[in-house]
């Protein structure tokens, strides 16, 4: 205990005069585990403020001492250690020591180490390779772009695309860090990489890059563009949320590039996410579409941009009657567009139509949301309408889990699932969906999108199939994917059935009835 106390004092005071004695004890351990551990702790404390001695000891013949000094160099950012560490790494034969040296150099982050990072971009050890890929990105090394592109291209080849390895993931992120025209252009070209995890990393990287990505995303839209690419590009533009992105989408609509219903939906969803008054007219145009999902997306976007012009147009469209009026009313209720509801509620006839649709809904969450808005509006009519809303029941329903990054899709799923007797849990990505499972929730059926941020549908399905109780649960994957390779990959992962967008509520109801 006396020895430990003395060593603890040395570690705390960092007395450089004790270095020689500590090195003697380090090189010749006493054999007592506790004391020898405190020797290392004290040595770390003393050397943490002694850059010169740390650098001098980097090439010690004692491997343990060398490793300790390598780690200290990285932890405390000793820049004078960089030339020595680079020289050591260039001739290093021991893979464990090489990883320690590269880790220290990465923590120091000095451009002087770029040459050794470049040299190890094809290292046989994945961790060393991934670390070097990450660093050429952080240091903005444009000379490494060809090698980074090659890594991603190889992962997209037949026989390789089913798995996203760590190096591919890091290569995408490194290109996004470099942020040159060549780097960003290449990332956009891989929006529809055949591996879903790579697609997710590409999407996340472009969103994080922000406005600098937009000029390359604009090039995706053309008369003969790939549908999947345009959908993913519209999604990214929406998530970036910049006003200049709105101009790209509106230009694509004006030029007639947006014909496919799935692309059209993605564009309207993105317009709603960007949420500017300039996009209001386009969102109003979307209410002329027959697709119910597009209407929900447009109503969701308009709800946050409500103004007298929007109210007037909605009153006109609903007042004209017919199937379109019914779809718009259902969209307002399904999307829980409470701001629009408040404005229309004041219009007696129109307000009655919308209120009747709220009452007819089987979704208790919708009843709760509109009950709250009616309480806020106040008055005799509101009180009477609150009394019309069904009381919440405690009946145990079958449960369903739905995951999608689109709020409009989640709203539609809620409407469909409650209509066929399911209590829905909805999640904006696979990670949130899986958290329900981790919390002990049980589900009779799962519905998931394929492409989502944070955790995509493929990864969610894979995790579910490896979770006790979910090995055989029916899983429906809803997708816009046109490539058969993607469906094959999803089927291998454990998807039970597919629904292709665009779909009607009746098609999804029929698929659910078939499986449950």
């Amino acid at each position: 205990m006396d020895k430990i106390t003395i060593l603890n004092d040395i570690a705390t005071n960092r007395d450089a005069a004790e270095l020689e004695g500590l090195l003697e004890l380090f090189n010749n351990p006493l054999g007592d585990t506790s004391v020898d551990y405190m020797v290392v702790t004290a040595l770390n404390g003393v050397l943490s403020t002694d850059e010169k001695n740390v650098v001098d000891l980097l090439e010690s013949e004692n491997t343990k001492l060398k490793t300790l000094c390598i780690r200290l160099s990285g932890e405390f950012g000793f820049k004078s250690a960089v030339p020595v560490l680079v020289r050591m790494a260039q001739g290093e034969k021991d893979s464990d020591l090489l990883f320690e040296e590269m880790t220290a150099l990465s923590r120091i982050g000095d451009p002087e180490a770029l040459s050794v990072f470049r040299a190890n971009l094809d290292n046989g050890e994945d961790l060393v390779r991934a670390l070097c890929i990450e660093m050429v990105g952080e240091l903005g090394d444009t000379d490494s772009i060809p090698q980074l592109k090659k890594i991603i291209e190889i992962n997209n080849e037949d026989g390789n695309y089913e798995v996203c390895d760590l190096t591919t993931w890091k290569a995408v992120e490194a290109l996004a860090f470099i942020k040159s025209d060549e780097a960003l252009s290449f990332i956009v070209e891989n929006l529809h990489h055949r591996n879903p995890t790579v697609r997710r990393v590409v999407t996340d990287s472009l969103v994080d890059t922000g406005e600098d990505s937009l000029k390359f995303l604009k090039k995706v839209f053309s008369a003969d563009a790939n549908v999947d690419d345009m959908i993913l590009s519209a999604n990214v533009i929406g998530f970036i949320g910049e006003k200049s992105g709105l101009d790209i989408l509106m230009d694509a609509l004006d030029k007639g590039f947006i014909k496919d219903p799935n692309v059209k939906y993605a564009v309207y969803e993105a317009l709603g996410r960007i949420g500017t008054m300039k996009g209001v007219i386009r969102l109003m145009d979307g209410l002329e579409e027959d697709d119910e999902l597009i209407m929900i997306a447009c109503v969701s976007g308009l709800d946050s941009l409500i103004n007298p012009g929007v109210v007037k147009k909605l009153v006109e469209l609903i007042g004209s009657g017919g199937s379109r009026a019914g779809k718009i009313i259902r969209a307002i209720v399904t999307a829980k567009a409470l701001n629009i509801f408040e404005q229309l509620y004041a219009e007696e006839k129109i307000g009655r139509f919308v209120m009747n649709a709220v009452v007819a809904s089987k979704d208790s969450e919708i009843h709760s949301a509109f009950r709250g808005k009616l309480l806020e509006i106040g008055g005799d009519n509101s009180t009477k309408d609150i009394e019309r809303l069904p009381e919440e029941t405690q009946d145990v329903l079958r449960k369903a889990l739905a995951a999608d990054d689109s709020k409009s899709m989640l709203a539609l799923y809620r409407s469909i699932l409650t209509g066929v007797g399911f209590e829905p849990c909805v999640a904006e990505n696979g990670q949130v969906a899986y958290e329900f499972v981790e919390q002990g929730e049980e589900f009779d059926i799962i519905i998931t999108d394929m492409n989502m941020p944070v955790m995509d549908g493929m990864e969610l399905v894979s995790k579910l199939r490896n979770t006790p109780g979910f090995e055989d649960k029916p899983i429906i994957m809803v997708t816009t994917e046109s490539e058969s390779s993607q469906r094959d990959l999803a089927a291998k992962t454990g998807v039970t059935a597919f629904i292709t967008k665009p779909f009607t509520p009746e098609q999804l109801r029929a698929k659910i009835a078939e499986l449950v």
Side-chain angles (χ1 to χ4, degrees):
M1 286 303 299
D2 289 342
K3 293 173 185 175
I4 290 172
T5 301
I6 292 168
L7 290 166
N8 188 58
D9 289 342
I10 294 171
T12 303
N13 297 324
R14 300 176 180 181
D15 188 351
E18 304 291 350
L19 179 59
E20 187 176 345
L22 289 172
L23 288 172
E24 175 65 26
L25 286 169
F26 184 86
N27 288 318
N28 301 285
L30 298 180
D32 182 291
T33 305
S34 299
V35 175
D36 291 339
Y37 173 79
M38 282 306 301
V39 168
V40 175
T41 302
L43 189 57
N44 266 297
V46 171
L47 287 175
S48 66
T49 57
D50 192 348
E51 182 170 344
K52 183 180 183 306
N53 272 312
V54 169
V55 176
D56 289 343
L57 292 167
L58 278 173
E59 298 181 275
S60 168
E61 292 182 4
N62 184 325
T63 303
K64 289 184 178 179
L65 181 58
K66 178 189 289 190
T67 303
L68 184 146
C69 290
I70 292 171
R71 290 176 179 175
L72 284 168
S73 298
E75 183 179 354
F76 294 99
F78 294 156
K79 288 189 177 293
S80 62
V82 172
V84 182
L85 288 169
V86 168
R87 186 173 68 251
M88 290 165 63
Q90 287 170 338
E92 191 59 72
K93 304 298 182 185
D94 185 311
S95 59
D96 290 335
L97 273 177
L98 178 62
F99 181 69
E100 294 285 357
E101 290 154 3
M102 300 306 287
T103 301
L105 285 168
S106 70
R107 296 183 76 173
I108 298 169
D110 194 306
E112 189 179 344
L114 258 178
S115 61
V116 77
F117 289 132
R118 278 195 216 111
N120 283 280
L121 287 176
D122 56 356
N123 190 284
E125 294 289 331
D126 279 352
L127 287 177
V128 172
R129 192 179 183 206
L131 184 61
C132 292
I133 291 169
E134 185 176 324
M135 287 311 300
V136 297
E138 288 188 17
L139 293 171
D141 183 33
T142 55
D143 290 343
S144 295
I145 290 176
Q147 282 177 277
L148 297 174
K149 289 165 65 174
K150 186 177 179 182
I151 292 168
I152 298 166
E153 287 167 346
I154 290 172
N155 191 231
N156 205 23
E157 293 174 353
D158 292 342
N160 296 333
Y161 72 86
E162 293 190 8
V163 177
C164 169
D165 56 36
L166 179 62
T167 55
T168 304
W169 185 313
K170 290 295 182 182
V172 174
E173 292 183 339
L175 287 170
F177 263 110
I178 293 171
K179 211 187 282 190
S180 69
D181 283 2
E182 182 185 2
L184 292 180
S185 177
F186 181 79
I187 296 176
V188 170
E189 287 169 15
N190 281 272
L191 265 171
H192 197 246
H193 192 284
R194 287 199 286 176
N195 182 276
T197 303
V198 177
R199 287 201 297 274
R200 188 185 79 219
V201 178
V202 165
T203 298
D204 291 347
S205 296
L206 289 170
V207 172
D208 290 343
T209 302
E211 195 164 8
D212 288 337
S213 302
L214 292 177
K215 67 178 180 180
F216 304 101
L217 291 164
K218 180 178 181 178
K219 295 177 183 177
V220 173
F221 296 96
S222 66
D224 57 351
N226 178 277
V227 166
D228 295 317
D229 285 346
M230 287 197 287
I231 291 169
L232 291 168
S233 181
N235 289 342
V236 173
I237 290 171
F239 283 124
I240 290 173
E242 292 287 344
K243 291 181 181 179
S244 50
L246 185 78
D247 295 331
I248 294 171
L249 298 173
M250 292 175 67
D251 184 61
L253 285 167
D254 290 338
K255 291 179 177 176
F257 298 153
I258 314 301
K259 295 176 182 177
D260 181 272
N262 288 321
V263 179
K264 196 173 288 187
Y265 165 69
V267 167
Y268 281 115
E269 177 97 337
L271 290 172
R273 279 199 180 106
I274 295 170
T276 64
M277 293 307 297
K278 191 175 180 181
V280 166
I281 295 174
R282 291 296 185 181
L283 291 170
M284 293 301 299
D285 290 343
L287 297 177
E288 303 286 347
E289 297 286 337
D290 290 326
D291 189 292
E292 203 159 339
L293 190 56
I294 290 177
M295 283 194 179
I296 294 172
C298 292
V299 165
S300 296
L302 289 168
D303 192 52
S304 60
L305 301 167
I306 193 75
N307 63 47
V310 171
V311 175
K312 182 179 178 182
K313 181 66 175 178
L314 286 168
V315 169
E316 179 186 317
L317 289 170
I318 296 172
S320 64
S323 61
R324 186 176 307 283
K327 286 181 180 179
I328 293 172
I329 290 171
R330 283 197 298 276
I332 292 169
V333 175
T334 301
K336 289 183 288 194
L338 300 178
N339 294 322
I340 290 175
F341 171 76
E342 183 176 8
Q343 296 299 315
L344 295 182
Y345 191 73
E347 305 283 335
E348 280 195 31
K349 187 177 178 181
I350 304 298
R352 291 300 89 203
F353 289 151
V354 180
M355 192 63 223
N356 289 340
V358 172
V359 173
S361 171
K362 296 182 179 180
D363 189 343
S364 60
E365 190 173 294
I366 283 177
H367 295 154
S368 177
F370 282 91
R371 183 181 286 109
K373 177 53 72 173
L374 287 166
L375 283 168
E376 188 182 310
I377 293 170
D380 292 341
N381 286 338
S382 295
T383 302
K384 290 176 184 177
D385 282 328
I386 288 171
E387 292 173 356
R388 293 176 62 201
L389 291 172
E391 293 295 326
E392 290 190 33
T393 62
Q394 298 299 316
D395 295 342
V396 178
L397 301 172
R398 296 176 298 177
K399 280 192 160 186
L401 174 63
D404 201 296
D405 60 320
S406 162
K407 289 183 180 179
S408 303
M409 284 301 305
L410 290 179
L412 183 62
Y413 290 145
R414 284 198 66 91
S415 175
I416 293 170
L417 289 166
T418 53
V420 292
F422 283 88
E423 179 186 336
C425 285
V426 297
E428 63 266 28
N429 59 60
Q431 181 173 297
V432 175
Y434 194 69
E435 284 171 3
F436 284 115
V437 175
E438 289 181 310
Q439 291 161 10
E441 294 280 2
E442 296 182 3
F443 300 100
D444 297 281
I445 193 165
I446 297 98
I447 302 169
T448 180
D449 190 18
M450 180 181 287
N451 298 312
M452 294 181 286
V454 187
M455 182 191 291
D456 56 74
M458 297 283 204
E459 187 177 349
L460 172 61
V461 173
S462 179
K463 289 176 77 72
L464 287 170
R465 289 308 186 212
N466 285 288
T467 300
F470 285 85
E471 299 93 339
D472 300 312
K473 291 288 183 185
I475 299 176
I476 299 173
M477 182 164 277
V478 183
T479 180
T480 60
E481 289 292 336
S482 57
E483 281 194 23
S484 59
S485 65
Q486 297 304 298
R487 293 198 173 215
D488 292 343
L489 187 54
K492 286 180 185 178
T493 307
V495 172
T496 313
F498 295 90
I499 287 280
T500 304
K501 297 177 185 176
F503 61 87
T504 64
E506 290 74 22
Q507 287 173 317
L508 183 54
R509 290 188 197 107
K511 184 60 70 176
I512 293 170
E514 176 189 326
L515 297 174
V516 183

